[in-house]
Amino acid sequence: ATGGKEEASVAENNPSRAPQGKPGERSSILYSAGQFFFEYLVVVSLKKMSDGHYEPKITYQFPKRENLLKGQKEEEERLLQAIPLFCFPDGNNWAPVTEFTSETFSFVLTNVDGSRKIGYCRRLLPSGRGVRLPEVFCIISCLGCFGLFSKILDEVEKRRQISMAVIYPFMQGLRESPFPAPGKTVTIKSFIPESGTEIIELTRPVDAHLEHVEFQALLQRLSPHLILHIFASAVLERRLIFLAEELSVLSQCIHAVAALLYPFTWAHTYIPVVPECLLDTVCCPTPFMVGIQMRHLERVLDQPMEEALIVDLCEGKILRAVGDEEEILPIKLQNEMLTSLNRHNNNNNVHTSEQVNTLVSETFVQFFVRMVGHYASHIKWSKNGSGTFQERAFCKAIASKTNRKFVKKFVKTNMFSLFIEEAEKSRIPQEGKW
C-alpha cells in the first residue's frame, strides 16, 4: 500500500488539547459531535489487483456526502483514504474462504484540528455458498462507546445475513435518533422482512469515561503485577508495543491501558492496530502506544528501535523492557494497588464487566488522587481570572520522599501539562474529574 506515511499522520493521535471529558465534546469539522450517533457506515471489501494481491477498498458509504466546502472535502478524502487500511491492517495476503469467525475491533483517527474519530469495525464473511472474502462494516463516530457500537454491529451483522438492503433503514433510524445521555436508553424501531418490526434498545453506561473500556480483557491476559509495570511506563509517556494475533484483543487491551490514565489523557501516537505498511512507526523517537499483530514480531524486533516496553498479550509476558519498571511507582502505593487488583481478579467471576471497570478504574484514580490530588490548591489566581500553577510549591507539599520523586517526573509529562493547562483556564476546580 502506498501513501502509508500520509495516512499515518491521520492515524496518529496528536495531542488533543482538552483532557477527554464527555465523549464527543470536541466538535468535528463537519458538524457538532453528539448530534448524530455516527458520521458514516462504510463497507470495505477486498478487491483483486492485477498482480493477484487483494487491496481493501470502500465499496459502500452511507450517507453519501455532497455539498461539502473545499476544506471539508479534503479532510473527508483523507479520512476515507485511511479507513480501508485500518479495516484490513493485516496486509493484503488474503484468499477466499468458506469459514471465518467474525471479529470486532476499533481504531482511532485524528483530524487536523486534533479532534478524534473512532472506527468501530465488524469483520465478517457475507452469507452465501462457496469460497468468498471477508468484508468489514465500519461505523465512524466521534463518540467513544465500545459496548454500544458492538451492539449496533450485532444488528448490522444480523441484517447482512438477510440482505444489504435491510441494513440501511436501520442505520437511517439510528442516524435520526439522539445519542443518549450516560445511563439513558434510546429505542429504535426496525422492520425486518419475515420477522416484522423489532424494537432495539441501546443503553449507555452510567460512567461516561468507562464507555470505551473492557478492563476484563486486560486482567484475563496479564497479571496485576505486569499491568502495574505497563501503567508505570505509560504514566512516564514511554514507548509501548503490544502484540497479539487477534485485532479484537489488541484494540480492547490498548484502549484499556489508555483508560488507566484517567483523568489524564495519552497525548501521543496511539494506534491500537498498526497496519502492516506502517510498521516502521516503532522506530519513532517520540512516545507511542501501538498494537501489532504477532505475525510481524520478527520484523518489529529487527527495526532500529529506541527503548520500548514490548508486551506479549498471547503469553501474558513482557518480551522487552527498559529495566526500571519496578521502581517507577512508589513501592507502598504499588503494593496497595496490587492488593486491590488481585482482589478484583479473584472475584472475576462474581462481577459484571461494568463492576470490574469501576473497581479497576477506582484503583488507578485513587493513585492519582493520592499523588497529585492537591494540584488545585497550588493554582494562583490573578484578578483577571487566569490561573498559574505553582509547580515548586506543589511538589514541596508532598511529605513522602518517594512520592515526591515520582511526582517530579510526572509533572514533566505532556499529559500532566495538558491537564494543568485546562485547570488554569477554569476557576471551577476539576472536581468532577476525580
Side-chain angles (χ1 to χ4, degrees):
T2 53
K5 280 285 176 286
E6 186 189 5
E7 280 143 15
S9 68
V10 187
E12 286 181 9
N13 270 356
N14 306 323
S16 134
R17 299 312 288 166
Q20 279 169 333
K22 293 188 284 297
E25 217 166 39
R26 315 211 3 119
S27 72
S28 148
I29 281 184
L30 301 174
Y31 40 67
S32 69
Q35 182 181 339
F36 292 120
F37 257 88
F38 68 98
E39 292 189 11
Y40 293 113
L41 165 72
V42 296
V43 179
V44 177
S45 310
L46 291 162
K47 293 281 168 224
K48 196 166 194 170
M49 308 316 279
S50 52
D51 63 359
H53 271 101
Y54 289 96
E55 209 157 285
K57 300 272 184 218
I58 291 180
T59 48
Y60 185 84
Q61 178 186 330
F62 169 84
K64 294 276 186 281
R65 273 291 152 73
E66 274 82 38
N67 323 325
L68 288 177
L69 302 171
K70 186 172 179 289
Q72 293 175 334
K73 246 199 160 61
E74 284 166 12
E75 172 82 8
E76 192 91 346
E77 281 304 305
R78 285 229 334 274
L79 176 75
L80 293 172
Q81 257 186 338
I83 290 170
L85 197 59
F86 287 90
C87 289
F88 284 96
D90 16 25
N92 41 24
N93 295 329
W94 286 90
V97 289
T98 50
E99 292 203 353
F100 182 83
T101 309
S102 60
E103 52 185 343
T104 310
F105 57 97
S106 61
F107 59 84
V108 180
L109 297 171
T110 300
N111 287 332
V112 177
D113 67 347
S115 62
R116 294 174 176 181
K117 291 184 201 292
I118 301 171
Y120 298 96
C121 301
R122 176 69 53 88
R123 192 144 75 177
L124 53 89
L125 201 59
S127 58
R129 287 212 178 91
V131 294
R132 47 212 190 279
L133 289 156
E135 60 190 13
V136 174
F137 282 78
C138 172
I139 300 172
I140 300 289
S141 177
C142 304
L143 305 155
C145 192
F146 195 79
L148 199 73
F149 282 96
S150 288
K151 200 168 171 188
I152 292 168
L153 287 166
D154 289 344
E155 293 296 332
V156 167
E157 182 166 1
K158 190 162 84 185
R159 284 160 176 71
R160 175 67 184 101
Q161 304 311 329
I162 302 165
S163 135
M164 284 293 271
V166 195
I167 295 173
Y168 313 125
F170 167 66
M171 293 309 280
Q172 189 59 52
L174 190 62
R175 221 179 137 65
E176 289 161 5
S177 306
F179 194 66
K184 296 284 179 275
T185 299
V186 69
T187 305
I188 293 154
K189 285 185 176 157
S190 171
F191 178 76
I192 296 188
E194 312 290 313
S195 320
T197 302
E198 278 196 359
I199 305 286
I200 295 144
E201 291 196 336
L202 298 166
T203 306
R204 269 179 82 188
V206 177
D207 204 336
H209 86 271
L210 296 175
E211 288 187 295
H212 206 62
V213 186
E214 272 294 341
F215 285 128
Q216 223 147 8
L218 216 49
L219 288 166
Q220 278 161 2
R221 286 173 181 85
L222 299 168
S223 69
H225 199 77
L226 290 188
I227 292 173
L228 285 182
H229 280 191
I230 292 164
F231 171 70
S233 303
V235 156
L236 293 189
E237 297 183 328
R238 292 181 170 183
R239 286 170 286 277
L240 292 103
I241 298 171
F242 294 87
L243 294 156
E245 198 44 59
E246 291 166 49
L247 305 183
S248 52
V249 171
L250 282 174
S251 71
Q252 275 188 331
C253 289
I254 292 188
H255 287 310
V257 169
L260 295 176
L261 301 170
Y262 181 84
F264 300 92
T265 307
W266 180 262
H268 299 278
T269 300
Y270 175 72
I271 314 178
V273 182
V274 176
E276 187 178 18
C277 60
L278 301 180
L279 281 178
D280 59 358
T281 303
V282 300
C283 302
C284 286
T286 51
F288 56 73
M289 201 185 284
V290 299
I292 290 173
Q293 285 181 290
M294 193 53 94
R295 66 186 77 167
H296 303 309
L297 176 60
E298 293 305 313
R299 271 179 67 187
V300 167
L301 294 177
D302 286 347
Q303 303 276 356
M305 261 189 291
E306 305 266 340
E307 281 187 322
L309 185 75
I310 305 181
V311 183
D312 176 345
L313 293 167
C314 303
E315 297 283 322
K317 61 184 187 188
I318 287 175
L319 296 184
R320 195 182 276 185
V322 175
D324 63 349
E325 287 82 2
E326 193 80 51
E327 290 115 53
I328 296 172
L329 306 175
I331 195 71
K332 186 167 173 282
L333 276 172
Q334 197 167 306
N335 289 336
E336 284 174 23
M337 291 163 87
L338 213 47
T339 307
S340 168
L341 288 178
N342 277 321
R343 196 167 57 238
H344 308 331
N345 231 10
N346 300 339
N347 295 345
N348 231 356
N349 50 352
V350 183
H351 296 311
T352 65
S353 87
E354 276 205 356
Q355 286 169 321
V356 171
N357 279 354
T358 308
L359 292 165
V360 172
S361 180
E362 189 57 28
T363 301
F364 290 90
V365 169
Q366 278 311 313
F367 169 80
F368 287 124
V369 169
R370 302 263 296 270
M371 286 307 198
V372 295
H374 60 299
Y375 76 93
S377 52
H378 291 279
I379 295 177
K380 203 172 185 181
W381 297 98
S382 65
K383 286 197 173 66
N384 68 7
S386 68
T388 314
F389 180 60
Q390 313 286 303
E391 190 182 301
R392 277 191 63 185
F394 166 78
C395 291
K396 253 186 160 161
I398 301 167
S400 151
K401 250 192 187 144
T402 47
N403 290 10
R404 197 181 320 134
K405 187 179 151 201
F406 167 80
V407 170
K408 278 185 169 169
K409 286 182 189 157
F410 184 55
V411 295
K412 301 294 178 222
T413 61
N414 207 327
M415 67 179 102
F416 186 77
S417 308
L418 291 174
F419 181 86
I420 287 299
E421 222 171 272
E422 214 52 36
E424 288 171 336
K425 281 186 215 148
S426 79
R427 192 74 205 244
I428 312 136
Q430 313 255 56
E431 294 309 340
K433 289 252 166 217
W434 306 85

